[in-house]
Amino acid sequence: MSATSISKESLKVIMKSKKTVVSKGSAMPNSANNVTATDKASVTRQTAKLGLKIHNFIKWLLPPAFGILMMLAVWTLLSYQSPSLPTPLKTWHSAVELFSDPFYSNGPNDMGVGWNILNSLKRVALGFGMAALIGIPVGFIIGRFEFANRMAAPVISLLKPVSPLAWLPIGLLVFKAANPAAIWVIFISAIWPMIINTAVGVSKVPQDYMNVAKVLNLSEWKIFTKILFPFALPYMMTGVRLSIGVAWLVIVAAEMLTGGVGIGFWVWDEWNNLNVEHIIIAIFIVGVVGLLLEFGLTQIAKRFSYE
């Protein structure tokens, strides 16, 4: 009896364990189904995000691509109307050959396009840097003090409209050399936007801020660093962006007249050689470099914005 009862009890235990295994086994497909459904939902969301990114990229890319294609189409049409104007394809082959060795040097009058770009950028950096070192402080003084503003107003109004190249003979007369004369032209052309925009930004500081500074008896340095500079910074950076555009625009014309190594002189030299392809390439180089300079200053302005 005891053996029989033990065997029955063992049999009951075995049956219960089998039911447990069966119940667990029946639950596993449900959990697997849940995992599969979650994975499918995640894949669907990722696919939707990827599709949205592709759509936004195409939407961003399509208008400028269409504009470039229209420009190339007009250019091709004009080249067929005027045989002396090279086609886009011919210009592209010339550009590939030109940039295959941009830093060759066969003497001072025969250097690669890379050296010409670097020399022009060097002149722009010197002229623009001096204009910033002088123009921005002068703008703060003009905007801060009424007497200085009234004193400088007629001088700025008189000299600002003067064509940049009109200053070139003065530079040649004073400096007796072409290179400093070109830098002088950049300096005198780039200084006005920085002076005017900085002065406007300082003059627009709310009077309440200045009243608080008087109540707190702040020093002039504290007023400059805590009130004037943060408020005028966007105006100042706008002036800097305008100035770099003017400086890069002026250097091409100045180098055409002064000679030497530079992108402007290179354009004029290629015109004398009747190499129209290189002139068109130089136009694109000037545009791309100017765009990069302005983009760089825009990124700097965003980084140092006090807003």
Side-chain angles (χ1 to χ4, degrees):
M1 291 293 293
S2 63
T4 304
S5 63
I6 291 172
S7 62
K8 287 182 178 179
E9 291 176 358
S10 300
L11 184 61
K12 289 180 180 180
V13 171
I14 293 171
M15 291 299 293
K16 287 182 180 181
S17 63
K18 285 184 177 181
K19 288 181 180 180
T20 304
V21 172
V22 171
S23 63
K24 288 183 178 180
S26 63
M28 287 176 64
N30 292 331
S31 62
N33 291 333
N34 291 335
V35 172
T36 304
T38 304
D39 292 340
K40 288 182 178 179
S42 177
V43 170
T44 303
R45 286 194 298 269
Q46 292 178 359
T47 305
K49 289 181 180 179
L50 180 60
L52 183 61
K53 289 181 179 179
I54 294 174
H55 177 266
N56 291 334
F57 177 74
I58 294 175
K59 187 177 179 181
W60 171 81
L61 181 64
L62 192 60
F66 184 73
I68 292 174
L69 289 176
M70 286 291 295
M71 182 190 70
L72 293 176
V74 173
W75 181 2
T76 304
L77 181 62
L78 291 176
S79 65
Y80 281 114
Q81 296 293 328
S82 178
S84 59
L85 181 67
T87 62
L89 186 60
K90 186 177 180 180
T91 305
W92 170 257
H93 291 316
S94 181
V96 171
E97 181 181 356
L98 184 68
F99 283 97
S100 62
D101 187 14
F103 291 102
Y104 75 87
S105 179
N106 295 328
N109 295 324
D110 186 13
M111 302 181 73
V113 64
W115 293 117
N116 288 285
I117 296 173
L118 290 178
N119 277 273
S120 295
L121 287 173
K122 181 180 177 181
R123 295 188 183 99
V124 168
L126 290 172
F128 174 79
M130 290 189 296
L133 288 175
I134 297 175
I136 292 176
V138 170
F140 273 101
I141 294 172
I142 292 174
R144 178 73 176 90
F145 303 105
E146 180 64 23
F147 179 81
N149 187 8
R150 295 177 62 185
M151 181 179 67
V155 178
I156 295 175
S157 299
L158 179 66
L159 299 181
K160 181 180 176 294
V162 177
S163 173
L165 293 182
W167 296 100
L168 184 60
I170 305 298
L172 291 172
L173 179 65
V174 173
F175 299 106
K176 310 295 183 182
N179 190 56
I183 297 172
W184 153 256
V185 172
I186 296 169
F187 165 79
I188 199 65
S189 303
I191 196 171
W192 307 118
M194 284 189 275
I195 291 177
I196 295 172
N197 282 272
T198 304
V200 169
V202 173
S203 65
K204 288 187 177 295
V205 173
Q207 189 59 40
D208 292 342
Y209 292 3
M210 305 308 296
N211 293 336
V212 172
K214 289 180 181 179
V215 171
L216 296 177
N217 197 23
L218 296 181
S219 64
E220 196 64 36
W221 176 251
K222 286 287 186 181
I223 293 174
F224 169 75
T225 56
K226 300 299 183 182
I227 299 176
L228 298 182
F229 182 77
F231 192 88
L233 183 61
Y235 295 88
M236 185 180 71
M237 293 306 301
T238 300
V240 169
R241 288 174 55 195
L242 293 174
S243 294
I244 195 65
V246 171
W248 184 243
L249 181 69
V250 168
I251 188 59
V252 177
E255 287 175 344
M256 283 184 177
L257 299 177
T258 57
V261 181
I263 192 69
F265 171 74
W266 185 66
V267 171
W268 191 251
D269 189 54
E270 295 302 318
W271 166 248
N272 291 329
N273 296 328
L274 297 179
N275 196 339
V276 185
E277 292 93 342
H278 286 184
I279 296 175
I280 296 175
I281 293 169
I283 292 173
F284 281 104
I285 290 173
V286 171
V288 170
V289 173
L291 182 65
L292 292 176
L293 290 174
E294 186 172 354
F295 176 77
L297 287 174
T298 302
Q299 296 303 311
I300 293 173
K302 290 180 180 179
R303 178 178 291 271
F304 292 98
S305 177
Y306 276 73
E307 296 179 357

